[in-house]
């Protein structure tokens, strides 16, 4: 059940993480009360004064008016378009309706799209901004842990196709990412846990200290303790910003951020985006990637068990759903990261170290799935 917003906090010192992309460098502003400061934070960053907020009904009810007040106070003209929430609505039909909303709001090339919500709103609104009038300004205001630590940063925007997740998309950077940690107080526990899956992915990839922190403070994160949340959000954003700055268009290094996602996206495709939240599917995928790595890189089974325990501690699923091998094969082969050489997997060699390989046979991937299937 969605909770009501907490009592409004006065603005306090915030954490700023920069995504360094030359003339497209932008800040990630993290802290409580950031939505109240949104108008101030956008000053000088947008081309014009007309904004369309893209959100969903629940988030709009909880945080939409607060965001609108801040933007209007800063001199912006604001319209709002609601989209249905759920991965199954992240599609071309929803996008078409949002193009209509842009026209109705009389947006032009100096206007901006502001995404207010989780990863679904951010992905769809971002692709809308990238393609409306060949591209207008874009701002991310993520309200879920998953979006705050991952999808809102880096400019990957997309909609799904019936043959696969995020198959229609672009790389389109926001002007700023505004992370108000107060929004997490309104999330159901399942949403916070789903975001934790991406936190764990980041720790496995590139932050041994964060992994050790999670082993000690997993419950503090899941229980939404303020200090723990700020710590992990900033840590994850720093890792993501560093990777994006080095490889914006996922031609090499950035592919590491797909750890757990090859299996995870296959799960989402097979369940038609209804059975698992993205972070839940990634959590299973992380265990699968570790189990696969035992054969591919010689990863210690003890490391796989450490990862499994952290997934379990968050109340996330640890087993693959039961589908026929042919269905798994089809889903894996449709993954957008694939090359002519085959299915691409990111696999850890230890905590904080990894490799990217397309040398994994489908038979070995299917064997891994079978071992971990309920």
């Amino acid at each position: 059940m969605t909770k009501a917003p907490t009592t409004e906090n006065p603005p306090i010192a915030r954490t700023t993480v920069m995504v360094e992309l030359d003339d497209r460098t932008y800040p990630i502003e993290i802290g409580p009360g950031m939505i109240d400061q949104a108008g101030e934070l956008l000053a000088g960053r947008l081309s014009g004064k007309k904004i369309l907020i893209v959100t969903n009904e629940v988030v709009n009810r909880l945080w939409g008016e607060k965001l609108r007040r801040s933007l209007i106070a800063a001199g912006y003209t604001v319209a709002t378009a609601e989209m249905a929430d759920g991965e199954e609505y992240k599609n071309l039909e929803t996008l078409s309706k949002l193009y209509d909303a842009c026209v109705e709001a009389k947006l032009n090339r100096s206007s901006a799209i502001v995404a207010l919500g989780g990863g679904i709103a951010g992905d769809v609104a971002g692709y809308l901004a990238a393609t409306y009038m060949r591209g207008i300004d874009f701002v991310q205001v993520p309200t879920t842990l998953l979006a705050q630590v991952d999808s809102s940063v880096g400019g990957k925007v997309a909609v799904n196709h019936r043959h696969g997740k995020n198959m229609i998309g672009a790389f389109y950077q926001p002007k700023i990412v505004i992370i108000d940690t107060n929004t997490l107080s309104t999330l159901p526990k399942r949403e916070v846990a789903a975001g934790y899956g991406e936190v764990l992915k980041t720790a496995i990839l590139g932050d041994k200290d964060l992994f050790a922190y999670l082993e000690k403070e997993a419950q503090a994160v899941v229980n939404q303790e303020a200090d723990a949340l700020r710590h992990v959000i900033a840590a994850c954003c720093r890792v993501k910003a560093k990777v994006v700055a080095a490889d914006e268009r996922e031609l090499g290094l950035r592919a590491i951020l797909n750890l757990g996602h090859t299996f995870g996206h296959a799960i989402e495709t097979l369940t038609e985006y209804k059975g698992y939240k993205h972070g839940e599917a990634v959590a299973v995928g992380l265990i699968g990637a570790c189990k696969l790595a035992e054969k591919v890189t010689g990863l210690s089974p003890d490391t796989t068990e450490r990862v499994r325990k952290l997934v379990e501690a968050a109340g996330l699923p640890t087993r693959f759903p039961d589908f026929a091998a042919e269905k798994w094969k089809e889903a894996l082969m449709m993954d957008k990261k694939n090359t002519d050489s085959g299915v691409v997997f990111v696999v850890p060699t230890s905590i904080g170290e990894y490799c990217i390989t397309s040398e994994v046979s489908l038979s070995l991937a299917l064997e891994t799935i079978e071992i971990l299937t309920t």
Side-chain angles (χ1 to χ4, degrees):
M1 180 176 179
T2 301
K3 296 177 280 186
T6 55
T7 302
E8 183 174 325
N9 290 338
I12 62 173
R14 62 181 181 259
T15 300
T16 302
V17 176
M18 299 301 297
V19 181
E20 302 286 352
L21 290 168
D22 298 324
D23 61 337
R24 291 171 299 117
T25 292
Y26 60 91
I28 308 165
E29 302 290 359
I30 308 164
M34 289 295 101
I35 287 179
D36 293 305
Q37 300 179 59
E40 173 189 334
L41 291 169
L42 293 185
R45 295 191 176 277
L46 303 183
S47 301
K49 288 291 187 179
K50 191 174 292 185
I51 287 173
L52 177 69
I53 298 171
V54 175
T55 186
N56 65 57
E57 180 183 1
V58 173
V59 175
N60 191 28
R61 185 174 68 249
L62 294 170
W63 301 103
E65 188 56 34
K66 186 182 287 286
L67 177 58
R68 282 186 287 274
R69 283 201 306 267
S70 178
L71 296 176
I72 290 169
Y76 293 98
T77 300
V78 184
T80 303
E82 291 184 357
M83 57 174 284
D85 191 28
E87 195 76 34
E88 64 269 32
Y89 299 108
K90 184 179 159 183
N91 55 32
L92 290 171
E93 182 180 354
T94 295
L95 188 67
S96 180
K97 293 176 181 178
L98 291 174
Y99 287 133
D100 291 342
C102 289
V103 174
E104 291 169 9
K106 296 181 171 59
L107 299 195
N108 54 43
R109 287 184 174 178
S110 66
S111 302
I113 301 292
V114 175
L116 174 67
I120 293 168
D123 279 5
V124 176
Y127 190 68
L128 175 72
T131 52
Y132 183 73
M133 291 193 171
R134 296 193 175 94
I136 62 176
D137 288 347
F138 174 45
V139 175
Q140 286 270 24
V141 186
T143 60
T144 67
L145 181 59
L146 189 150
Q148 291 176 357
V149 301
D150 185 65
S151 63
S152 68
V153 179
K156 287 174 70 172
V157 296
V159 295
N160 298 332
H161 186 273
R162 64 187 178 87
H163 287 303
K165 183 179 173 71
N166 296 333
M167 289 188 71
I168 304 167
F171 291 93
Y172 197 69
Q173 300 296 340
K175 294 294 184 179
I176 185 174
V177 179
I178 301 171
I179 296 178
D180 190 334
T181 54
N182 285 348
T183 61
L184 301 182
S185 69
T186 65
L187 288 180
K189 186 175 180 179
R190 184 183 178 190
E191 289 286 354
V192 177
Y196 177 88
E198 290 286 354
V199 172
L200 181 55
K201 176 204 77 174
T202 303
I204 295 169
L205 279 174
D207 196 331
K208 293 180 181 179
D209 291 339
L210 178 57
F211 191 90
Y213 181 87
L214 293 175
E215 289 190 303
K216 292 181 180 178
E217 302 292 345
Q219 284 306 310
V221 177
V222 174
N223 293 338
Q224 305 179 52
E225 294 180 19
D227 288 343
L229 286 173
R230 284 194 294 270
H231 180 88
V232 300
I233 291 169
C236 289
C237 285
R238 289 188 190 100
V239 172
K240 184 76 178 282
K242 183 178 179 180
V243 172
V244 169
D247 180 23
E248 179 183 3
R249 298 183 67 83
E250 204 172 281
L251 298 176
L253 177 65
R254 188 169 177 176
I256 70 169
L257 297 174
N258 290 306
L259 177 66
H261 285 60
T262 302
F263 284 133
H265 284 170
I267 291 171
E268 290 180 285
T269 298
L270 288 172
T271 57
E272 298 180 337
Y273 310 112
K274 297 176 183 177
Y276 290 72
K277 292 187 175 296
H278 176 67
E280 293 170 340
V282 168
V284 180
L286 290 174
I287 299 172
C290 288
K291 181 61 70 173
L292 185 65
E294 292 177 16
K295 297 287 184 68
V296 177
T297 69
L299 182 72
S300 167
D302 290 342
T303 301
T304 302
E305 181 60 14
R306 290 170 69 192
V307 170
R308 190 199 65 77
K309 284 181 177 179
L310 283 175
V311 171
E312 188 175 57
L316 291 164
T318 61
R319 311 288 292 184
F320 283 86
D322 190 7
F323 286 95
E326 279 302 310
K327 291 288 187 181
W328 282 112
K329 180 179 178 180
E330 181 180 347
L332 289 169
M333 290 302 294
M334 285 303 301
D335 192 278
K336 67 184 186 303
K337 298 181 294 297
N338 291 348
T339 67
D340 290 341
S341 300
V343 181
V344 175
F345 279 92
V346 182
V347 288
T349 57
S350 64
I351 299 302
E353 298 181 6
Y354 53 84
C355 72
I356 303 170
T357 178
S358 60
E359 302 302 316
V360 176
S361 66
L362 269 172
S363 61
L364 182 55
L366 294 173
E367 178 184 322
T368 301
I369 292 168
E370 184 177 2
I371 291 170
L372 295 173
T373 296
T374 51

